[in-house]
Amino acid sequence: MSYPKKNIYSTGEKNAIVGGMLYLVATPIGNLADLSERALKVLSEVDFVAAEDTRNSGLLLSRFGISKPLISYFEHNKRERGEIIADRLEKGESCALITDAGTPAISDPGEDIVRLCAERGIPVTSVPGACAAITALTLSGLATGRFAFEGFISGNKNDRRERFAELEKERRTMIFYEAPHHLRQTLDDFLACFGDRKITLCRELTKLNEEVFRTTISAACEEYKTREPRGEYVLVVEGYSGTEAAADYPESIEEHVALLEAEGMSRMEAIKACAKKRGVPKSVVYDAVNR
C-alpha cells in the first residue's frame, strides 16, 4: 500500500516534545545507567507511555522519579491497543513506546504500531539506546561489516530446521535470540545445519554477571551438556565461508540419510537435508533409500 504524503515530516525542535508524535524510547538491557538523558526527558514530558509490561515499566519509571499514565501494548493486544494509541496521537497527544529491555520495534510488536502510524501519517521518531543484538555483535569478535539479525528462534523442531537450512550458506554474521530451555537443541541444530563454525554466546549483557563465551559450535555443544543454561542468550554465529568440508558426510546416500535420522530427523527431513547438502534433487535421494 502507498503511504500518505504527510509521512514526510520534521520531528520538531531539538529538545521540544512534539504533540501527536510517537517516540520509540530504548530502555536499559541491564545497567540502569544506560538510560540516556534524552530518554529521561522524553519519558518525563510525553502525555503517556505505552509499555510491554506496565508493572516492569512502572518500576523503571519510579526509579527515576517519573510518574506517567501507562497503557499496556504487547503481542496479544497490539491490534486493539495500537488503534487506541494512534487515535490519541491523532488528537495531539504525545506517547513514548518502551519495551521491557532494549529498543522497541526490534523483534517486538512495536514494529506494528510504527507501520500503523506510517499508514495514518502519524510522525514517529526514535530515542536510540541499548540493543542486545548490536551489543552482542560488537563483543563477538566476528565480522561486523555485514550481519543478518534473525531474532527469536521458533520452538517448533521442523520450523527451526527449515529456517536453519535456508541460512546454511548465509555469508553474513548471524544474530539470534534464544531462551535457556531451548539452547542445547539450538546448538545441536546449528552443528547439523551449519557445521562447526565460530560462535559467541552472550548472556546477562551489561549486568553484574555478564558473560561473553567465544568458542566453536561443537565446543559449545560439549560445554552445555553438563552446564545448565541460564538467562536469555544472544547467539552470534560466523557466516558461511564459501568452502565445503571434503568429507563431512558419508559417501553413500543411504548411510548419509541414516546418520541424519540418528540425529533426530524424520525420514523426509533427512532426505531433504541430504539432498541440499549434496546438491542433488530430492528425488535422487528418495529413490536411493527406497529402492
Side-chain angles (χ1 to χ4, degrees):
M1 70 175 293
S2 59
Y3 291 127
K5 287 185 178 178
K6 62 179 179 178
N7 261 280
I8 301 175
Y9 54 80
S10 168
T11 57
E13 297 179 16
K14 183 177 180 182
N15 294 313
I17 298 301
V18 179
M21 178 83 74
L22 176 67
Y23 293 83
L24 307 178
V25 181
T27 54
I29 58 177
N31 193 319
L32 293 182
D34 291 336
L35 191 63
S36 72
E37 182 178 343
R38 182 181 171 215
L40 287 170
K41 177 178 174 61
V42 170
L43 291 171
S44 299
E45 297 184 7
V46 290
D47 292 306
F48 68 103
V49 175
E52 182 178 5
D53 186 320
T54 55
R55 293 167 300 179
N56 289 344
S57 296
L59 290 172
L60 174 67
L61 295 179
S62 68
R63 289 288 297 270
F64 293 96
I66 299 171
S67 178
K68 284 289 170 181
L70 290 164
I71 180 173
S72 68
Y73 176 82
F74 56 92
E75 183 63 33
H76 300 297
N77 73 0
K78 63 184 181 183
R79 188 165 298 179
E80 171 201 351
R81 293 295 170 85
E83 294 289 346
I84 292 171
I85 294 166
D87 288 344
R88 293 178 66 174
L89 290 167
E90 285 187 328
K91 291 174 182 176
E93 292 187 75
S94 56
C95 173
L97 175 68
I98 60 177
T99 186
D100 279 352
T103 300
I106 300 297
S107 279
D108 173 88
E111 70 174 286
D112 292 80
I113 196 169
V114 173
R115 186 180 302 112
L116 177 62
C117 286
E119 291 168 358
R120 292 172 63 162
I122 298 169
V124 182
T125 191
S126 179
V127 181
C131 177
I134 298 301
T135 303
L137 177 65
T138 61
L139 293 172
S140 70
L142 298 174
T144 62
R146 298 177 67 229
F147 60 91
F149 176 64
E150 289 294 321
F152 292 100
I153 304 168
S154 170
N156 180 279
K157 180 179 71 172
N158 293 334
D159 290 345
R160 293 156 67 87
R161 287 180 172 165
E162 182 177 335
R163 183 172 170 191
F164 294 155
E166 291 174 355
L167 294 169
E168 182 183 1
K169 294 190 178 180
E170 172 59 67
R171 290 180 177 271
R172 294 170 294 179
T173 302
M174 296 174 286
I175 308 170
F176 302 87
Y177 289 162
E178 188 54 286
H181 56 284
H182 287 312
L183 180 67
R184 287 171 175 149
Q185 184 60 59
T186 293
L187 292 174
D188 288 342
D189 289 344
F190 279 173
L191 189 59
C193 293
F194 301 152
D196 197 16
R197 303 184 190 178
K198 293 177 182 177
I199 184 173
T200 297
L201 299 87
C202 300
R203 55 182 291 274
E204 299 291 295
L205 287 170
T206 78
K207 299 178 183 177
L208 182 63
N209 296 315
E210 175 178 286
E211 180 179 272
V212 178
F213 180 26
R214 301 183 187 93
T215 185
T216 61
I217 296 175
S218 63
C221 289
E222 286 299 315
E223 174 74 15
Y224 282 97
K225 282 181 180 178
T226 56
R227 178 179 173 187
E228 191 65 30
R230 298 186 186 281
E232 300 298 316
Y233 286 80
V234 185
L235 309 175
V236 187
V237 182
E238 182 182 27
Y240 175 63
S241 66
T243 58
E244 296 283 355
D248 60 344
Y249 53 78
E251 182 177 348
S252 161
I253 289 178
E254 296 94 323
E255 290 179 12
H256 191 176
V257 170
L259 179 63
L260 294 171
E261 287 180 311
E263 292 174 354
M265 292 188 184
S266 69
R267 172 56 65 91
M268 287 310 300
E269 287 174 341
I271 288 172
K272 290 178 183 178
C274 178
K276 185 175 181 64
K277 190 71 172 176
R278 290 171 176 267
V280 299
K282 290 194 293 290
S283 58
V284 171
V285 180
Y286 183 87
D287 291 342
V289 296
N290 288 286
R291 60 191 174 196

Short mmCIF file of all heavy atoms in Angstrom, two decimals, residues 192-245:
data_model
loop_
_atom_site.label_atom_id
_atom_site.label_comp_id
_atom_site.label_asym_id
_atom_site.label_seq_id
_atom_site.Cartn_x
_atom_site.Cartn_y
_atom_site.Cartn_z
N ALA A 192 24.39 -29.35 13.09
CA ALA A 192 23.90 -30.19 12.00
C ALA A 192 23.74 -29.40 10.70
O ALA A 192 24.02 -29.91 9.62
CB ALA A 192 22.58 -30.83 12.39
N CYS A 193 23.29 -28.15 10.81
CA CYS A 193 22.99 -27.36 9.61
C CYS A 193 24.17 -26.51 9.12
O CYS A 193 24.36 -26.35 7.92
CB CYS A 193 21.79 -26.45 9.88
SG CYS A 193 20.24 -27.33 10.12
N PHE A 194 24.93 -25.94 10.05
CA PHE A 194 25.99 -25.01 9.69
C PHE A 194 27.39 -25.63 9.70
O PHE A 194 28.33 -25.06 9.16
CB PHE A 194 26.02 -23.81 10.64
CG PHE A 194 24.75 -23.00 10.67
CD1 PHE A 194 24.38 -22.29 11.81
CD2 PHE A 194 23.90 -22.95 9.57
CE1 PHE A 194 23.22 -21.53 11.85
CE2 PHE A 194 22.73 -22.21 9.60
CZ PHE A 194 22.39 -21.50 10.74
N GLY A 195 27.53 -26.79 10.36
CA GLY A 195 28.86 -27.33 10.57
C GLY A 195 29.52 -26.64 11.76
O GLY A 195 28.88 -25.89 12.50
N ASP A 196 30.80 -26.88 11.95
CA ASP A 196 31.48 -26.38 13.14
C ASP A 196 32.11 -25.01 12.88
O ASP A 196 33.25 -24.90 12.47
CB ASP A 196 32.55 -27.37 13.60
CG ASP A 196 32.99 -27.10 15.02
OD1 ASP A 196 32.27 -26.36 15.72
OD2 ASP A 196 34.03 -27.63 15.43
N ARG A 197 31.34 -23.96 13.13
CA ARG A 197 31.80 -22.59 12.92
C ARG A 197 32.08 -21.91 14.26
O ARG A 197 31.72 -22.41 15.32
CB ARG A 197 30.73 -21.78 12.18
CG ARG A 197 30.30 -22.35 10.86
CD ARG A 197 29.32 -21.42 10.19
NE ARG A 197 28.70 -22.03 9.03
CZ ARG A 197 27.77 -21.43 8.29
NH1 ARG A 197 27.36 -20.20 8.62
NH2 ARG A 197 27.24 -22.04 7.26
N LYS A 198 32.64 -20.72 14.18
CA LYS A 198 32.81 -19.90 15.38
C LYS A 198 31.45 -19.39 15.83
O LYS A 198 30.57 -19.10 15.02
CB LYS A 198 33.73 -18.71 15.10
CG LYS A 198 35.18 -19.09 14.81
CD LYS A 198 36.00 -17.86 14.48
CE LYS A 198 37.43 -18.23 14.14
NZ LYS A 198 38.22 -17.03 13.75
N ILE A 199 31.29 -19.28 17.14
CA ILE A 199 30.06 -18.75 17.72
C ILE A 199 30.41 -18.00 19.00
O ILE A 199 31.36 -18.37 19.69
CB ILE A 199 29.04 -19.88 18.02
CG1 ILE A 199 27.71 -19.30 18.54
CG2 ILE A 199 29.60 -20.89 19.01
CD1 ILE A 199 26.61 -20.36 18.70
N THR A 200 29.66 -16.95 19.29
CA THR A 200 29.80 -16.25 20.56
C THR A 200 28.44 -16.27 21.25
O THR A 200 27.43 -15.89 20.65
CB THR A 200 30.27 -14.80 20.36
OG1 THR A 200 31.57 -14.82 19.76
CG2 THR A 200 30.34 -14.06 21.69
N LEU A 201 28.43 -16.74 22.49
CA LEU A 201 27.20 -16.80 23.29
C LEU A 201 27.28 -15.70 24.34
O LEU A 201 28.22 -15.66 25.13
CB LEU A 201 27.05 -18.16 23.96
CG LEU A 201 26.95 -19.39 23.05
CD1 LEU A 201 28.34 -19.92 22.71
CD2 LEU A 201 26.14 -20.49 23.71
N CYS A 202 26.30 -14.81 24.33
CA CYS A 202 26.27 -13.69 25.29
C CYS A 202 25.03 -13.81 26.18
O CYS A 202 23.94 -14.09 25.69
CB CYS A 202 26.23 -12.36 24.55
SG CYS A 202 27.64 -12.06 23.48
N ARG A 203 25.24 -13.57 27.46
CA ARG A 203 24.11 -13.57 28.40
C ARG A 203 24.35 -12.54 29.49
O ARG A 203 25.48 -12.13 29.74
CB ARG A 203 23.92 -14.96 29.02
CG ARG A 203 25.14 -15.52 29.70
CD ARG A 203 24.88 -16.91 30.27
NE ARG A 203 23.98 -16.88 31.40
CZ ARG A 203 24.36 -16.66 32.66
NH1 ARG A 203 25.63 -16.45 32.95
NH2 ARG A 203 23.49 -16.65 33.63
N GLU A 204 23.25 -12.07 30.10
CA GLU A 204 23.33 -11.09 31.18
C GLU A 204 24.10 -9.84 30.75
O GLU A 204 24.87 -9.26 31.53
CB GLU A 204 24.00 -11.69 32.42
CG GLU A 204 23.26 -12.89 33.02
CD GLU A 204 21.93 -12.49 33.64
OE1 GLU A 204 21.92 -11.76 34.63
OE2 GLU A 204 20.88 -12.92 33.09
N LEU A 205 23.90 -9.41 29.51
CA LEU A 205 24.66 -8.28 28.98
C LEU A 205 24.42 -7.01 29.80
O LEU A 205 23.29 -6.68 30.13
CB LEU A 205 24.27 -8.03 27.52
CG LEU A 205 24.81 -9.06 26.52
CD1 LEU A 205 24.18 -8.87 25.15
CD2 LEU A 205 26.33 -8.99 26.42
N THR A 206 25.49 -6.32 30.11
CA THR A 206 25.58 -5.08 30.89
C THR A 206 25.24 -5.27 32.37
O THR A 206 25.26 -4.32 33.14
CB THR A 206 24.70 -3.92 30.33
OG1 THR A 206 23.33 -4.12 30.70
CG2 THR A 206 24.83 -3.79 28.83
N LYS A 207 24.96 -6.51 32.77
CA LYS A 207 24.64 -6.78 34.17
C LYS A 207 25.89 -7.23 34.93
O LYS A 207 26.96 -7.43 34.34
CB LYS A 207 23.54 -7.84 34.27
CG LYS A 207 22.23 -7.43 33.61
CD LYS A 207 21.20 -8.54 33.70
CE LYS A 207 19.92 -8.16 32.97
NZ LYS A 207 18.93 -9.26 32.99
N LEU A 208 25.74 -7.42 36.23
CA LEU A 208 26.87 -7.80 37.08
C LEU A 208 27.52 -9.10 36.62
O LEU A 208 28.74 -9.24 36.64
CB LEU A 208 26.39 -7.94 38.53
CG LEU A 208 27.45 -8.27 39.57
CD1 LEU A 208 28.49 -7.15 39.66
CD2 LEU A 208 26.80 -8.50 40.94
N ASN A 209 26.70 -10.07 36.19
CA ASN A 209 27.22 -11.38 35.78
C ASN A 209 27.29 -11.54 34.26
O ASN A 209 27.12 -12.64 33.73
CB ASN A 209 26.36 -12.49 36.38
CG ASN A 209 26.42 -12.51 37.90
OD1 ASN A 209 27.49 -12.39 38.49
ND2 ASN A 209 25.27 -12.62 38.54
N GLU A 210 27.58 -10.45 33.57
CA GLU A 210 27.70 -10.51 32.11
C GLU A 210 28.70 -11.59 31.71
O GLU A 210 29.77 -11.73 32.29
CB GLU A 210 28.17 -9.16 31.58
CG GLU A 210 28.45 -9.16 30.08
CD GLU A 210 28.88 -7.78 29.58
OE1 GLU A 210 28.03 -6.90 29.48
OE2 GLU A 210 30.09 -7.61 29.32
N GLU A 211 28.32 -12.36 30.68
CA GLU A 211 29.19 -13.43 30.19
C GLU A 211 29.25 -13.40 28.67
O GLU A 211 28.21 -13.35 28.00
CB GLU A 211 28.68 -14.79 30.66
CG GLU A 211 29.53 -15.95 30.19
CD GLU A 211 29.00 -17.28 30.69
OE1 GLU A 211 29.37 -17.68 31.80
OE2 GLU A 211 28.20 -17.91 29.98
N VAL A 212 30.46 -13.43 28.13
CA VAL A 212 30.69 -13.50 26.69
C VAL A 212 31.57 -14.72 26.45
O VAL A 212 32.72 -14.76 26.87
CB VAL A 212 31.38 -12.22 26.17
CG1 VAL A 212 31.65 -12.32 24.67
CG2 VAL A 212 30.52 -10.99 26.48
N PHE A 213 31.02 -15.73 25.80
CA PHE A 213 31.70 -17.01 25.58
C PHE A 213 31.99 -17.17 24.10
O PHE A 213 31.11 -17.46 23.30
CB PHE A 213 30.79 -18.14 26.09
CG PHE A 213 31.35 -19.53 25.96
CD1 PHE A 213 32.72 -19.78 25.92
CD2 PHE A 213 30.49 -20.62 25.87
CE1 PHE A 213 33.22 -21.06 25.80
CE2 PHE A 213 30.97 -21.91 25.75
CZ PHE A 213 32.34 -22.14 25.71
N ARG A 214 33.26 -16.93 23.70
CA ARG A 214 33.67 -17.06 22.30
C ARG A 214 34.25 -18.46 22.11
O ARG A 214 35.22 -18.83 22.76
CB ARG A 214 34.72 -16.00 21.95
CG ARG A 214 34.23 -14.57 22.15
CD ARG A 214 35.30 -13.56 21.71
NE ARG A 214 34.92 -12.19 22.04
CZ ARG A 214 35.27 -11.56 23.15
NH1 ARG A 214 36.03 -12.20 24.06
NH2 ARG A 214 34.89 -10.32 23.38
N THR A 215 33.68 -19.21 21.19
CA THR A 215 34.07 -20.61 21.05
C THR A 215 33.68 -21.11 19.65
O THR A 215 33.52 -20.31 18.73
CB THR A 215 33.41 -21.45 22.16
OG1 THR A 215 33.88 -22.79 22.10
CG2 THR A 215 31.90 -21.42 22.10
N THR A 216 33.55 -22.42 19.52
CA THR A 216 33.02 -23.02 18.28
C THR A 216 31.70 -23.70 18.62
O THR A 216 31.40 -23.97 19.79
CB THR A 216 33.98 -24.06 17.70
OG1 THR A 216 34.16 -25.11 18.65
CG2 THR A 216 35.33 -23.44 17.36
N ILE A 217 30.91 -23.99 17.60
CA ILE A 217 29.61 -24.61 17.84
C ILE A 217 29.77 -25.97 18.53
O ILE A 217 29.06 -26.29 19.49
CB ILE A 217 28.81 -24.74 16.53
CG1 ILE A 217 28.49 -23.36 15.97
CG2 ILE A 217 27.53 -25.54 16.76
CD1 ILE A 217 27.82 -23.37 14.60
N SER A 218 30.73 -26.77 18.06
CA SER A 218 30.92 -28.11 18.66
C SER A 218 31.35 -27.99 20.12
O SER A 218 30.87 -28.74 20.99
CB SER A 218 31.94 -28.92 17.87
OG SER A 218 33.22 -28.30 17.89
N ALA A 219 32.23 -27.03 20.42
CA ALA A 219 32.69 -26.86 21.80
C ALA A 219 31.56 -26.34 22.68
O ALA A 219 31.45 -26.72 23.85
CB ALA A 219 33.87 -25.89 21.83
N ALA A 220 30.68 -25.51 22.13
CA ALA A 220 29.53 -25.02 22.89
C ALA A 220 28.57 -26.16 23.20
O ALA A 220 28.02 -26.25 24.30
CB ALA A 220 28.82 -23.92 22.11
N CYS A 221 28.39 -27.06 22.23
CA CYS A 221 27.54 -28.24 22.46
C CYS A 221 28.08 -29.06 23.62
O CYS A 221 27.33 -29.51 24.50
CB CYS A 221 27.47 -29.10 21.20
SG CYS A 221 26.52 -28.38 19.84
N GLU A 222 29.38 -29.28 23.64
CA GLU A 222 30.02 -30.05 24.71
C GLU A 222 29.89 -29.33 26.06
O GLU A 222 29.58 -29.94 27.08
CB GLU A 222 31.49 -30.30 24.39
CG GLU A 222 31.73 -31.32 23.31
CD GLU A 222 31.19 -32.70 23.69
OE1 GLU A 222 31.41 -33.12 24.85
OE2 GLU A 222 30.51 -33.32 22.85
N GLU A 223 30.11 -28.03 26.05
CA GLU A 223 30.05 -27.23 27.29
C GLU A 223 28.68 -27.34 27.96
O GLU A 223 28.58 -27.52 29.17
CB GLU A 223 30.35 -25.77 26.96
CG GLU A 223 30.19 -24.80 28.11
CD GLU A 223 31.29 -24.89 29.14
OE1 GLU A 223 32.34 -25.50 28.84
OE2 GLU A 223 31.11 -24.35 30.25
N TYR A 224 27.63 -27.26 27.14
CA TYR A 224 26.30 -27.23 27.71
C TYR A 224 25.67 -28.62 27.89
O TYR A 224 24.52 -28.72 28.29
CB TYR A 224 25.39 -26.31 26.89
CG TYR A 224 25.65 -24.85 27.21
CD1 TYR A 224 26.50 -24.09 26.41
CD2 TYR A 224 25.11 -24.27 28.34
CE1 TYR A 224 26.77 -22.76 26.72
CE2 TYR A 224 25.37 -22.95 28.67
CZ TYR A 224 26.20 -22.21 27.86
OH TYR A 224 26.47 -20.89 28.17
N LYS A 225 26.44 -29.66 27.64
CA LYS A 225 25.98 -30.99 28.03
C LYS A 225 25.95 -31.13 29.55
O LYS A 225 25.12 -31.82 30.12
CB LYS A 225 26.89 -32.06 27.43
CG LYS A 225 26.64 -32.35 25.96
CD LYS A 225 27.56 -33.44 25.45
CE LYS A 225 27.30 -33.73 23.97
NZ LYS A 225 28.24 -34.77 23.45
N THR A 226 26.88 -30.47 30.21
CA THR A 226 26.99 -30.58 31.67
C THR A 226 26.68 -29.27 32.38
O THR A 226 26.55 -29.24 33.60
CB THR A 226 28.41 -31.02 32.06
OG1 THR A 226 29.37 -30.10 31.51
CG2 THR A 226 28.70 -32.42 31.53
N ARG A 227 26.57 -28.19 31.64
CA ARG A 227 26.31 -26.88 32.23
C ARG A 227 24.87 -26.47 31.97
O ARG A 227 24.39 -26.54 30.83
CB ARG A 227 27.27 -25.87 31.63
CG ARG A 227 27.08 -24.45 32.14
CD ARG A 227 28.11 -23.56 31.47
NE ARG A 227 27.90 -22.17 31.79
CZ ARG A 227 28.56 -21.17 31.23
NH1 ARG A 227 29.51 -21.43 30.34
NH2 ARG A 227 28.31 -19.92 31.55
N GLU A 228 24.18 -26.03 32.99
CA GLU A 228 22.77 -25.64 32.85
C GLU A 228 22.69 -24.23 32.26
O GLU A 228 23.22 -23.27 32.82
CB GLU A 228 22.09 -25.66 34.22
CG GLU A 228 20.59 -25.51 34.16
CD GLU A 228 19.91 -26.69 33.47
OE1 GLU A 228 20.45 -27.82 33.55
OE2 GLU A 228 18.84 -26.47 32.87
N PRO A 229 22.00 -24.08 31.12
CA PRO A 229 21.84 -22.74 30.54
C PRO A 229 21.00 -21.86 31.46
O PRO A 229 19.97 -22.31 31.99
CB PRO A 229 21.10 -23.01 29.22
CG PRO A 229 21.35 -24.45 28.93
CD PRO A 229 21.42 -25.13 30.26
N ARG A 230 21.41 -20.62 31.64
CA ARG A 230 20.67 -19.69 32.50
C ARG A 230 20.59 -18.33 31.83
O ARG A 230 21.58 -17.84 31.29
CB ARG A 230 21.35 -19.56 33.87
CG ARG A 230 21.39 -20.86 34.66
CD ARG A 230 21.96 -20.64 36.06
NE ARG A 230 22.12 -21.89 36.77
CZ ARG A 230 21.15 -22.56 37.37
NH1 ARG A 230 19.91 -22.06 37.35
NH2 ARG A 230 21.38 -23.70 37.99
N GLY A 231 19.42 -17.70 31.90
CA GLY A 231 19.24 -16.37 31.34
C GLY A 231 18.98 -16.40 29.84
O GLY A 231 19.14 -17.43 29.18
N GLU A 232 18.59 -15.27 29.32
CA GLU A 232 18.34 -15.15 27.88
C GLU A 232 19.68 -14.99 27.14
O GLU A 232 20.57 -14.29 27.61
CB GLU A 232 17.44 -13.94 27.59
CG GLU A 232 16.09 -14.01 28.28
CD GLU A 232 15.25 -15.19 27.82
OE1 GLU A 232 15.19 -15.44 26.59
OE2 GLU A 232 14.66 -15.86 28.69
N TYR A 233 19.77 -15.64 25.99
CA TYR A 233 21.03 -15.64 25.23
C TYR A 233 20.90 -14.86 23.93
O TYR A 233 19.86 -14.86 23.27
CB TYR A 233 21.44 -17.08 24.88
CG TYR A 233 21.98 -17.86 26.04
CD1 TYR A 233 21.12 -18.45 26.98
CD2 TYR A 233 23.35 -18.03 26.22
CE1 TYR A 233 21.61 -19.17 28.06
CE2 TYR A 233 23.85 -18.75 27.30
CZ TYR A 233 22.98 -19.32 28.21
OH TYR A 233 23.48 -20.03 29.28
N VAL A 234 22.01 -14.21 23.56
CA VAL A 234 22.19 -13.71 22.21
C VAL A 234 23.30 -14.55 21.60
O VAL A 234 24.41 -14.62 22.15
CB VAL A 234 22.56 -12.22 22.17
CG1 VAL A 234 22.60 -11.74 20.72
CG2 VAL A 234 21.57 -11.39 22.97
N LEU A 235 23.00 -15.19 20.48
CA LEU A 235 23.96 -16.07 19.81
C LEU A 235 24.43 -15.41 18.53
O LEU A 235 23.62 -15.04 17.67
CB LEU A 235 23.30 -17.42 19.49
CG LEU A 235 22.58 -18.12 20.66
CD1 LEU A 235 21.88 -19.37 20.17
CD2 LEU A 235 23.56 -18.44 21.77
N VAL A 236 25.74 -15.25 18.40
CA VAL A 236 26.32 -14.61 17.21
C VAL A 236 27.13 -15.68 16.49
O VAL A 236 28.10 -16.22 17.04
CB VAL A 236 27.20 -13.42 17.60
CG1 VAL A 236 27.65 -12.67 16.34
CG2 VAL A 236 26.45 -12.46 18.53
N VAL A 237 26.71 -16.01 15.26
CA VAL A 237 27.27 -17.14 14.54
C VAL A 237 28.02 -16.66 13.29
O VAL A 237 27.53 -15.82 12.54
CB VAL A 237 26.16 -18.13 14.12
CG1 VAL A 237 26.75 -19.34 13.40
CG2 VAL A 237 25.35 -18.56 15.33
N GLU A 238 29.20 -17.21 13.09
CA GLU A 238 30.01 -16.90 11.91
C GLU A 238 29.26 -17.25 10.63
O GLU A 238 28.58 -18.28 10.55
CB GLU A 238 31.31 -17.69 11.98
CG GLU A 238 32.27 -17.44 10.85
CD GLU A 238 33.52 -18.29 10.97
OE1 GLU A 238 33.45 -19.39 11.56
OE2 GLU A 238 34.58 -17.85 10.48
N GLY A 239 29.36 -16.40 9.62
CA GLY A 239 28.73 -16.67 8.35
C GLY A 239 29.46 -17.75 7.55
O GLY A 239 30.56 -18.16 7.89
N TYR A 240 28.82 -18.18 6.47
CA TYR A 240 29.37 -19.22 5.59
C TYR A 240 30.65 -18.71 4.93
O TYR A 240 30.69 -17.60 4.40
CB TYR A 240 28.32 -19.58 4.55
CG TYR A 240 28.75 -20.55 3.49
CD1 TYR A 240 29.12 -21.85 3.82
CD2 TYR A 240 28.76 -20.18 2.15
CE1 TYR A 240 29.50 -22.75 2.84
CE2 TYR A 240 29.13 -21.08 1.16
CZ TYR A 240 29.51 -22.36 1.51
OH TYR A 240 29.88 -23.24 0.54
N SER A 241 31.67 -19.54 4.95
CA SER A 241 32.98 -19.10 4.45
C SER A 241 33.15 -19.32 2.96
O SER A 241 34.13 -18.84 2.36
CB SER A 241 34.09 -19.86 5.20
OG SER A 241 34.03 -21.25 4.88
N GLY A 242 32.25 -20.08 2.36
CA GLY A 242 32.37 -20.33 0.93
C GLY A 242 33.15 -21.57 0.59
O GLY A 242 33.39 -21.86 -0.57
N THR A 243 33.56 -22.33 1.60
CA THR A 243 34.28 -23.58 1.36
C THR A 243 33.50 -24.74 1.96
O THR A 243 32.89 -24.62 3.01
CB THR A 243 35.68 -23.55 2.00
OG1 THR A 243 35.55 -23.31 3.41
CG2 THR A 243 36.51 -22.43 1.39
N GLU A 244 33.52 -25.85 1.30
CA GLU A 244 32.84 -27.06 1.77
C GLU A 244 33.85 -28.01 2.40
O GLU A 244 34.98 -28.17 1.91
CB GLU A 244 32.16 -27.78 0.60
CG GLU A 244 31.04 -26.98 -0.04
CD GLU A 244 29.77 -27.00 0.80
OE1 GLU A 244 29.75 -27.71 1.82
OE2 GLU A 244 28.81 -26.30 0.44
N ALA A 245 33.46 -28.65 3.46
CA ALA A 245 34.30 -29.69 4.03
C ALA A 245 34.36 -30.87 3.07
O ALA A 245 33.36 -31.23 2.46
CB ALA A 245 33.75 -30.14 5.38
#
